[in-house]
Amino acid sequence: MKFKGKQYRVEIGGVSLGATIGASKAELVGEVYNLKSPNDIEGTYVAGQAGVAVVGGGKVAELKNSKGVVLKIKGKQVGLELALDLSGMGVSLKK
């Protein structure tokens, strides 16, 4: 993550709220909104009003944490999977 000209390494982990069958890998990029300090990026993000949509084979999601930080992410999923439920994820700063 780049914030005020400085690079920060982040770690992302999935939060499973639904059943998924199969194996896949998601490559995501996005933008961050309402970030006042680098530490605000940390937390559990859940799907906002936009939720998750499939657009041209890619996924688009808007996720929000308890500090009001919003992630608008998009990307492609590679692999075989019966159902993908990107309803949340955890983000932390790497030390």
Side-chain angles (χ1 to χ4, degrees):
M1 170 183 79
K2 193 172 190 177
F3 181 73
K4 293 189 177 181
K6 188 173 178 186
Q7 289 287 122
Y8 295 88
R9 293 177 50 145
V10 295
E11 187 170 63
I12 298 172
V15 176
S16 178
L17 298 177
T20 302
I21 299 173
S24 68
K25 175 184 173 185
E27 296 177 10
L28 304 171
V29 295
E31 297 178 357
V32 180
Y33 298 89
N34 304 329
L35 193 66
K36 295 177 180 84
S37 80
N39 292 331
D40 288 348
I41 194 77
E42 295 187 307
T44 300
Y45 288 78
V46 295
Q49 292 180 353
V52 178
V54 178
V55 179
K59 302 270 180 204
V60 177
E62 183 175 306
L63 304 164
K64 186 176 183 180
N65 74 6
S66 63
K67 299 172 190 168
V69 176
V70 175
L71 299 179
K72 290 187 180 181
I73 56 176
K74 61 183 174 180
K76 292 184 180 180
Q77 185 174 336
V78 179
L80 176 64
E81 197 167 280
L82 180 60
L84 173 67
D85 185 10
L86 178 60
S87 53
M89 65 182 188
V91 177
S92 60
L93 288 175
K94 281 188 144 186
K95 306 294 181 198

